[in-house]
Amino acid sequence: LVDQLPANATRFEVLASKPANGAITAIWAGWLVSGVFSLVATGAVATAILSSARARSSLFTLPLAILLSCDCIMNFNNVIVNMANLSFGGYTSYACCVWQCFYTVWTGGVTFGVNMIITVEVYRLLSATKRLQMYQPPAKPIVLRRCLGVVLVVTALAALVFIPGVPFKPRLMRGIMCLPASDGTFNGRSELFVYFVLPCVVGVPTVVTLTIGAVSWYRRLLVFEIDRQEMTLSEKESSQALHNRAAHRERVQAARSLTIYFSRVFFCLLMWYPAFLSLLIAIEPVAPFAIGMLLISWQSFVSSMLALTKADVRQAALHRFRLCIPGARSQSQVAPSAAIPSDPGKQLAMFTTK
């Protein structure tokens, strides 16, 4: 138990210790409730995006659907594992411990990797907008191949926990959750996990994302000015110049909406780090680790809520809500529908944020 640790307890002794049974039950119950809320929120938004052709066509919305689907898988597994632990009155089994190691590494790797892909494309868009240049987004198959590449690499790394003889084995941390931190011996540390898997799935995407964020802040890519500089127009140039300014105004408004989306990446990634730090520092009280893991579950809920700041996601979610609620559906049928452009693809040719 944590209360029985010596004053000079080693890091291994701290991580192997556990709180009282009542505290463990309270932690699992809290994780269970958080997992249910996050599962419902992420599942609803992911379903809305995937069921909307317009939302799926957006470069920045399609990876978001992949992220939310990944969060759904994580929350679903967390709900099942915590429910089983509460029913059993303790950690269920070694097989459950192995599975928890796999989906935890897999979820973290996909989240960090796909967010890195999104960050790179948002940086390209903001940089082009700042230079008054046309932004050419990659085709949807290219985006899907990049995301699929991240998923395959992370799956291969997470699956190491299933291979016999590989020093990448589960260990029950603080008596409440399993991570692949063991080399297979009683008190041995998995050097493969610490010095290879973690840097690949967390370190590299974090460095890339934070570097892009710092460069964007330094270059003031998140600050746009439209009306501060007035242009002197001749009669021959006025029509074309006004058209150009109107087009630039639309681009700036689209880029501004992406700044919130851009901030979502950093905010949600930061919610993963308290759990990492509590393990690295090996704080004796179990509360920091429990709260850190709770934040990982809540980041998916926050991500789904912030995703609704994008107009296409919000419209898809409202449409799905009207289909699911009989009263809302009948009202939407009576209300006059807005005019639909004959070719909405033209509005998305330059920016796919609306």
Side-chain angles (χ1 to χ4, degrees):
L1 295 177
V2 174
D3 297 338
Q4 300 173 350
L5 286 173
N8 57 346
T10 64
R11 184 173 179 273
F12 170 78
E13 291 174 337
V14 172
L15 295 178
S17 64
K18 65 176 184 177
N21 291 334
I24 293 178
T25 301
I27 290 171
W28 284 338
W31 289 356
L32 175 61
V33 173
S34 173
V36 170
F37 276 102
S38 298
L39 177 61
V40 172
T42 53
V45 178
T47 302
I49 294 174
L50 295 176
S51 63
S52 171
R54 181 182 180 185
R56 292 196 309 269
S57 66
S58 171
L59 166 67
F60 299 102
T61 306
L62 184 59
L64 177 61
I66 296 175
L67 283 175
L68 293 177
S69 301
C70 174
D71 287 335
C72 283
I73 295 174
M74 177 191 69
N75 287 309
F76 175 78
N77 282 279
N78 282 337
V79 168
I80 297 300
V81 169
N82 290 314
M83 189 179 300
N85 292 338
L86 288 172
S87 301
F88 186 71
Y91 204 90
T92 309
S93 64
Y94 180 78
C96 181
C97 192
V98 172
W99 178 247
Q100 189 172 42
C101 291
F102 172 78
Y103 76 75
T104 301
V105 174
W106 185 84
T107 303
V110 172
T111 299
F112 278 82
V114 175
N115 271 321
M116 179 181 67
I117 294 174
I118 295 173
T119 303
V120 172
E121 288 304 321
V122 172
Y123 173 78
R124 291 183 59 235
L125 185 148
L126 295 177
S127 182
T129 303
K130 198 72 172 181
R131 297 194 303 266
L132 305 183
Q133 295 177 352
M134 177 77 73
Y135 167 69
Q136 295 294 340
K140 186 189 298 185
I142 296 178
V143 176
L144 290 175
R145 283 199 297 267
R146 291 174 181 173
C147 294
L148 180 61
V150 170
V151 172
L152 292 178
V153 171
V154 172
T155 302
L157 293 174
L160 293 174
V161 72
F162 299 120
I163 302 177
V166 176
F168 191 71
K169 299 304 176 188
R171 170 165 289 156
L172 187 60
M173 312 296 289
R174 310 309 304 265
I176 54 178
M177 180 180 179
C178 287
L179 290 175
S182 173
D183 61 356
T185 60
F186 175 72
N187 59 353
R189 183 181 66 176
S190 175
E191 305 292 336
L192 180 63
F193 175 67
V194 175
Y195 296 112
F196 181 72
V197 175
L198 271 183
C200 287
V201 301
V202 176
V204 173
T206 297
V207 171
V208 173
T209 302
L210 293 181
T211 301
I212 290 177
V215 172
S216 300
W217 175 81
Y218 179 76
R219 296 182 57 191
R220 296 175 59 83
L221 297 183
L222 304 181
V223 178
F224 299 95
E225 299 178 358
I226 300 178
D227 297 322
R228 290 188 178 182
Q229 294 181 354
E230 296 295 336
M231 299 173 59
T232 303
L233 307 174
S234 64
E235 294 182 358
K236 294 183 179 180
E237 297 175 337
S238 60
S239 178
Q240 182 63 34
L242 287 174
H243 179 271
N244 292 339
R245 292 185 66 188
H248 177 59
R249 185 186 298 272
E250 290 187 6
R251 291 197 298 268
V252 168
Q253 291 174 349
R256 279 177 171 173
S257 68
L258 270 179
T259 59
I260 301 177
Y261 187 83
F262 196 50
S263 302
R264 180 203 68 83
V265 174
F266 295 97
F267 185 76
C268 292
L269 289 184
L270 287 176
M271 295 180 73
W272 282 78
Y273 291 108
F276 295 149
L277 292 177
S278 66
L279 289 176
L280 293 176
I281 301 175
I283 304 174
E284 287 191 14
V286 75
F289 176 66
I291 295 174
M293 296 307 301
L294 187 67
L295 288 177
I296 291 179
S297 177
W298 273 105
Q299 69 83 27
S300 59
F301 178 84
V302 173
S303 178
S304 61
M305 294 300 100
L306 290 178
L308 296 176
T309 60
K310 284 184 91 268
D312 56 347
V313 178
R314 185 168 58 253
Q315 292 172 3
L318 290 175
H319 178 69
R320 177 55 52 182
F321 174 77
R322 295 189 185 102
L323 293 179
C324 296
I325 306 299
R329 182 170 64 249
S330 61
Q331 292 178 7
S332 66
Q333 292 174 352
V334 174
S337 58
I340 301 175
S342 58
D343 188 5
K346 290 182 179 180
Q347 294 184 350
L348 307 177
M350 188 174 303
F351 293 97
T352 56
T353 61
K354 294 186 177 181

